[in-house]
Amino acid sequence: MAAKNRALSRGVAVVGAGMSNFGAFPGQSTRDLFVQAFQEMRSSVDKGLDPADIEALYIGNYSSDLFEGQAHMAALMADWTGLTPRPATRIEDACASSGVALRQGIIAVASGLYDIVLVGGIEKMTDLPISEVTDTLATAADMLYEIPAGFTFPGLYAAMATAYMDRYGATPDSFMSVGLKNHDNGAVNPKAQFGARIADIMAGKVAKAQKKGYPAPTWANEMAFLHDDRANPVIAWPMRLFDCSPVSDGAAAILLVSEQLAKSFSDDPLYIAGSGQASDVALHDRVELTSIGSARQASQQAYEMAGVSPEDIKIAEVHDCFTIAEIIATEDLGFFEPGQGYEAAEEGLTTRHGPKPINTSGGLKSKGHPVGASGAGQVVEIWKQMRGQAGDRQVTKDVDLALTHNVGGTGQSCVVHIFERR
Ligand code: COA
């Protein structure tokens, strides 16, 4: 069944975007983090924002119920940002929650129902011990057929990684090249959970050992470190620690307005050129594990709506919850042919100085993955890069078209957006 892909009935623009730091913040609640994101978003609106003008909120949140014992988060976020009695809606689509919240906000503005909408993403994961975090994340997989068979999320993506290796000849080193790149990018992102290159992390471990009077490890280079089972243990082969996104807290906020209002808020708005969303069966039911069908469909819809092709996209933030996921994403989005994404990563084509910069923010791997906030966090990076405000990680080319790709679970949901700077 082909999805109809109508154009938006009126244009929608992003005129503000902000985020909290991503990381582990034991002393801060989701409310604190969202207020920080909201305040940064507000100060990013060039011509100022009176919060009283916001007409509705769409908040992406995966599982505050299980992570924090607190449900009904959207109304709470409206309260803590002073936006009651505005309608506040929570959107849950696993790790794609705030990407889907963005799409719902776009639909609401495009429909004419609202002119000014706040989109948010929130998650606080680090209050629970890791075993309970793993169990909570597992509820985004198939609890009937996958989890009882012993799968965790690292395990599910490891299955995709082994299938990819078998089919195309990639090796664990291919995945490591993605981790190296994303840590390089995260090192120049002040908001990132791991603000360190892998070389810096190695140096830190040597210094720590020396301080304690232990024999200092001697790795010849980063790859030697990444091959060391003690430094980089296997989580679910071939996914090691530095192939996994971390457990994170964080929030992000985006302001959407109708195209007609864009210039009254911003000197340099970003326009929504394309939006696509699709679903897929759970991983165990798929014909192939080396591609995510919902990502192919969602991106096709977004490209068609925007009237552009993958070659036109200058930068992209893609859903690298595991390093294999970034490689598959670059193929599903049409940046590289199936089976060539791993070579592109190895050859450096996706570094921030390469021809197709991917995850200049550090991606979920290094910036952090507070799951319900990750999709909105991707938009914050696109906002900064397209407006030339990304500091040390600013790409050198002019970014007139950029893309975000946000996956729920192992791809049962995917949402893709294309942003245009005119
Ligand atoms: N990448 C790199 N280093 C990481 C890391 C990651 N993903 N997660 C933790 N670390 C580091 C910590 O900083 C710490 O370093 P230190 O000893 O130098 O201080 C060390 O590893 C141990 O940290 P800890 O928090 O005890 O790790 P953990 O064993 O509890 O968690 C994982 C590690 C991989 C199990 C966890 O990050 C995880 O489950 N990630 C996947 C999350 C996920 O599935 N998300 C949804 C995707 S769809």
Side-chain angles (χ1 to χ4, degrees):
M1 183 177 62
K4 287 181 185 157
N5 192 34
R6 300 195 176 96
L8 300 176
S9 36
R10 68 171 176 164
V12 180
V14 178
V15 295
M19 61 184 279
S20 70
N21 288 345
F22 281 8
F25 306 115
Q28 295 184 51
S29 69
T30 301
R31 303 164 202 220
D32 299 322
L33 297 170
F34 188 64
V35 168
Q36 289 163 28
F38 180 76
Q39 285 170 341
E40 187 179 279
M41 177 283 291
R42 195 176 165 192
S43 61
S44 77
V45 181
D46 299 326
K47 297 178 182 172
L49 166 69
D50 180 351
D53 290 336
I54 295 173
E55 295 169 289
L57 296 81
Y58 293 87
I59 306 290
N61 171 237
Y62 165 52
S63 194
S64 60
D65 323 44
L66 296 178
F67 283 132
E68 300 178 67
Q70 170 71 66
H72 207 174
M73 286 301 243
L76 272 176
M77 297 307 114
D79 179 10
W80 280 65
T81 47
L83 295 179
T84 52
R86 300 296 185 232
T89 308
R90 172 180 167 183
I91 312 278
E92 191 271 299
D93 258 320
C95 307
S97 295
S98 55
V100 176
L102 172 67
R103 186 169 152 94
Q104 291 302 311
I106 291 167
I107 290 168
V109 174
S111 75
L113 184 62
Y114 303 122
D115 294 317
I116 305 170
V117 158
L118 176 66
V119 172
I122 49 172
E123 206 77 62
K124 180 153 179 63
M125 303 167 71
T126 65
D127 284 352
L128 292 183
I130 186 68
S131 58
E132 290 177 43
V133 171
T134 303
D135 288 348
T136 299
L137 289 168
T139 66
D142 189 325
M143 292 298 282
L144 189 57
Y145 293 110
E146 291 174 344
I147 301 308
F151 277 103
T152 58
F153 259 95
L156 290 161
Y157 275 90
M160 295 164 86
T162 49
Y164 188 95
M165 288 163 69
D166 180 57
R167 183 165 184 183
Y168 296 123
T171 68
D173 288 23
S174 318
F175 309 133
M176 289 169 185
S177 66
V178 174
L180 274 164
K181 168 185 72 74
N182 288 351
H183 273 272
D184 272 356
N185 290 341
V188 282
N189 183 350
K191 302 274 186 184
Q193 183 158 354
F194 298 115
R197 297 173 305 141
I198 287 179
D200 303 326
I201 293 170
M202 292 162 61
K205 287 187 184 295
V206 170
K208 200 168 162 186
Q210 283 168 339
K211 196 171 166 198
K212 289 187 172 171
Y214 298 154
T218 50
W219 300 288
N221 52 38
E222 285 108 321
M223 280 316 236
F225 170 83
L226 292 173
H227 281 278
D228 179 343
D229 288 340
R230 291 186 63 197
N232 188 22
V234 171
I235 304 296
W237 195 87
M239 296 290 98
R240 291 171 177 262
L241 184 65
F242 281 84
D243 292 297
C244 302
S245 59
V247 173
S248 314
D249 307 328
I254 302 155
L255 189 68
L256 296 178
V257 302
S258 64
E259 184 172 340
Q260 290 84 344
L261 292 181
K263 289 280 183 176
S264 58
F265 283 90
S266 178
D267 299 326
D268 200 3
L270 310 184
Y271 296 91
I272 303 296
S275 175
Q277 184 184 348
S279 61
D280 200 353
V281 296
L283 192 72
H284 70 275
D285 256 342
R286 292 200 200 139
V287 177
E288 61 165 322
L289 303 185
T290 56
S291 171
I292 291 180
S294 61
R296 292 198 309 273
Q297 296 234 0
S299 57
Q300 199 54 42
Q301 292 169 28
Y303 289 134
E304 277 176 27
M305 187 186 286
V308 303
S309 56
E311 303 76 58
D312 299 320
I313 302 295
K314 301 299 191 312
I315 62 166
E317 287 287 302
V318 312
H319 197 95
D320 59 324
C321 51
F322 297 91
T323 50
I324 177 63
E326 176 170 314
I327 289 172
I328 288 179
T330 60
E331 298 175 10
D332 289 337
L333 292 166
F335 298 155
F336 306 109
E337 291 296 318
Q340 293 183 3
Y342 81 93
E343 289 170 333
E346 287 176 350
E347 288 164 13
L349 303 188
T350 56
T351 64
R352 65 179 187 276
H353 309 296
K356 201 64 141 184
I358 303 291
N359 285 332
T360 55
S361 68
L364 280 41
K365 169 69 205 79
S366 173
K367 183 176 63 173
H369 186 22
V371 288
S374 292
Q378 292 176 326
V379 181
V380 177
E381 178 68 6
I382 295 299
W383 166 259
K384 287 185 187 292
Q385 288 283 358
M386 291 188 92
R387 288 166 42 102
Q389 297 169 335
D392 289 344
R393 64 187 189 287
Q394 182 67 46
V395 298
T396 43
K397 61 175 93 172
D398 182 38
V399 185
D400 58 345
L401 279 170
L403 179 150
T404 56
H405 156 279
N406 188 198
V407 171
T410 49
Q412 297 97 313
S413 304
C414 184
V415 58
V416 171
H417 284 100
I418 297 173
F419 304 83
E420 180 186 12
R421 184 162 174 260
R422 296 178 187 154

